[in-house]
Amino acid sequence: MSELDELYQSLILDHNRAPRNFRELPTSSGHAEGRNPLCGDTFNVWVQVKDGVVTDVSFLGQGCAISKASASMMTTIIKGKTVSEVRGLFDRFHQMVTGRAPTAEDEKKEARNALGCLSAFAGVSAFPIRVKCATLAWHALMKAVETAADGMPADARS
Amino acid sequence: MSSPSVVDPRPGAAPDQTWDPASIRGDFPMLERTIRGRPIAYLDNAATALKPRSVIDEVVRYYQDVTANVARGVHTASQEATERFETVRHQVGMFLGSRPADEVVFTSGTTGAINLVAQSYGRAVLRPGDEVLVTEMEHHSNLVPWQLVAEQTGARVRAIPITGSGEVDLGWLERNRSDRTKIVAVCHVSNVLGTVVPVARVAALAHEMGAVCVVDGAQGVPHLRVDVGALGCDFYAFSAHKLFGPTGLGVLWGRQPLFERMPPWQGGGGMIARVEIEKSSFAPPPARFEAGTPPIAEVFGLGAVLDYLAALDRRAFEHEDRVVRYAEELLRAIPGVILHGAAPGRVGLVTFSVEGVHPHDVGTALDAGGVAVRAGHHCAQPLMARLGVTATVRASFAPYNTRREAEALAEGVEQAKRVFGQ
């Protein structure tokens, strides 16, 4: 598979064409905007956090296939996870797209299991300039979670 | 959209199909590198142009053989460096249409040059209610400096609209003549649409209103022969790096009587006549506007650029035009490709969108094929809004580009369409 086809896997193209949770939440406890000044791409992310668990999440905005598919898949995978699980997942995702993924076989397997469908973004590491696209919605999500009224107390967040 | 007739902006150039870019490609070391295993097709010249070996060598020569500060030392190397530095200033004056060297100020770039005009000239003359006119297609560097000085002085910035084909609406300018307009700042060539602005007409209208005309020539000098006297403008700015030269260096050309009246913008060494603790008096222009140690190595490099251009066959630029038109034809033939800008006589670039594919994804598909383009808003967000897009893809050319590279561009666009099933 060419680097290009590796990057634009069918799962990514599918989420780009038909983004999931592409709407504003009727009620939300946190919201943030993510903007890439390089290209002007902008996403808004809404979260509903209850007792430290993300019960609902959605997004709207404009961007390239990588940023939009990443936002869409993010919303499908984090629903029902605790805020600290979400944070851990973002760390792993960030490591993968920046090419700092673990090399040892067992760690690799563990990361793959944790990331699930997000592994589709592994091809981003061959195009470092696109890392910002892949993480745009995630950064907005983390901000939204921080502002969530019913989030965890600040001292328990780290 | 039909293909417009090509107006050759360079007088004296005889039509000739025989000039071969292979005759100069060996001068540019960057062209030897590969991207992802493929030869680079460098079509991002409007962002920065590649540098010929002679320019790189001249920068190295400064660091290796002539390192010294300029206009300061009594020692031999300092004298040699100063002589070379001032010779280049003279060369730049000649390059812009046989102007005297003291009308040439070295800056950090086009951006630095325009900020200088805004903060020195603009801040001195603008009063509350005055206007600065720009066009809708300015690069942020010919817009934001005016917004800053407008904020400081109570003046306001207004935009001359552009027409559907991407030309400055001169009718609007004629209808909106106002003695409140003090500065008219326009690009010579649009960095997105390639439109050549009729600067002589704009400058004449500006002068009728009692305003000065400032020209952002960053995309002008790489493609057009520039004679600032014939253009009739009052200030002309450009960057060395878009003209095959080093980064970190720009030129502000300005009319002597204006420079004479302008206060310094930045203070420091080299720009003074006499300094006491509480006050100073200032050197005459151009030194007044060159505080601190200038980019000396870069000025050396610019000298080599001007030598290179003087020796370059002018047919090279006709070849460049032909490659641009060829790229445009190839792209126009691809269903779903939308070309932006249709001004007659436009130069240097093709800007386009691909239906259903975000410009960044097009850019990545092109990069995978070794084709370097710019994908984004091109530092012209108001123009993107005017075009109704958030971003576009821009392929920009130089004389060393080939028809084969234009074909690689079209092939990359087809690849992007294939991946996205468009």
Side-chain angles (χ1 to χ4, degrees), chain B residues 260-277:
Chain B
E260 284 292 348
R261 296 193 339 246
M262 283 161 54
W265 170 38
Q266 294 177 320
M271 50 75 76
I272 46 82
R274 181 186 169 87
V275 176
E276 297 162 71
I277 286 297

Side-chain angles (χ1 to χ4, degrees), chain B residues 98-333:
Chain B
S98 305
R99 306 297 304 193
D102 57 5
E103 293 187 340
V104 174
V105 171
F106 290 121
T107 67
S108 58
T110 304
T111 300
I114 294 171
N115 276 280
L116 195 170
V117 180
Q119 288 301 317
S120 171
Y121 184 83
R123 204 157 179 182
V125 306
L126 291 172
R127 299 282 173 267
D130 284 347
E131 287 181 353
V132 178
L133 291 185
V134 297
T135 78
E136 271 184 317
M137 58 181 171
E138 293 311 313
H139 188 284
H140 296 165
S141 65
N142 198 25
L143 173 58
V144 180
W146 304 115
Q147 293 171 345
L148 294 177
V149 71
E151 178 77 18
Q152 291 158 345
T153 58
R156 78 180 179 132
V157 179
R158 292 180 76 192
I160 309 167
I162 58 165
T163 65
S165 63
E167 293 169 89
V168 177
D169 188 344
L170 288 173
W172 185 94
L173 186 56
E174 284 181 26
R175 287 192 302 278
N176 287 273
R177 272 178 285 193
S178 158
D179 58 8
R180 287 185 308 181
T181 301
K182 296 295 185 293
I183 296 166
V184 181
V186 298
C187 56
H188 194 179
V189 171
S190 159
N191 72 310
V192 177
L193 303 176
T195 308
V196 180
V197 172
V199 170
R201 187 77 196 111
V202 171
L205 284 165
H207 293 156
E208 272 182 41
M209 298 186 272
V212 296
C213 177
V214 183
V215 179
D216 164 5
Q219 304 295 342
V221 289
H223 306 288
L224 307 173
R225 223 170 230 175
V226 174
D227 179 336
V228 289
L231 289 175
C233 57
D234 302 285
F235 297 98
Y236 192 98
F238 72 89
S239 295
H241 76 95
K242 294 192 199 290
L243 190 67
F244 319 105
T247 56
L249 171 65
V251 164
L252 175 66
W253 171 84
R255 292 188 185 278
Q256 238 291 324
L258 288 170
F259 271 166
E260 284 292 348
R261 296 193 339 246
M262 283 161 54
W265 170 38
Q266 294 177 320
M271 50 75 76
I272 46 82
R274 181 186 169 87
V275 176
E276 297 162 71
I277 286 297
E278 293 191 340
K279 62 180 192 314
S280 301
S281 59
F282 305 110
R288 185 186 299 164
F289 305 111
E290 294 178 353
T293 295
I296 306 169
E298 290 75 10
V299 168
F300 272 50
L302 179 59
V305 167
L306 298 180
D307 290 340
Y308 187 85
L309 289 174
L312 183 64
D313 192 323
R314 297 310 290 182
R315 290 176 303 172
F317 292 93
E318 291 169 53
H319 159 80
E320 177 194 299
D321 274 338
R322 281 194 297 273
V323 175
V324 174
R325 297 286 88 89
Y326 182 52
E328 201 171 67
E329 269 171 48
L330 292 173
L331 291 172
R332 187 178 286 121

Side-chain angles (χ1 to χ4, degrees), chain A residues 2-5 7-8 13 16-17 35-41 62-66 126-130 133, chain B residues 36 356 358-368 374-378 381 390-391 415-416 418-421:
Chain A
S2 75
E3 276 179 332
L4 195 60
D5 294 299
L7 177 64
Y8 294 108
L13 295 172
N16 174 50
R17 250 192 311 270
R35 193 175 162 79
N36 183 350
L38 206 68
C39 55
D41 287 355
Q62 265 193 4
C64 61
I66 300 299
F127 296 87
I129 198 93
R130 306 304 301 274
C133 311
Chain B
R36 300 174 191 278
H358 189 281
H360 261 191
D361 297 315
V362 177
T364 292
L366 288 168
D367 184 50
R374 174 83 194 264
H377 54 59
H378 317 293
Q381 287 177 356
T390 54
Q415 277 293 318
R418 174 188 64 77
V419 168
F420 283 86

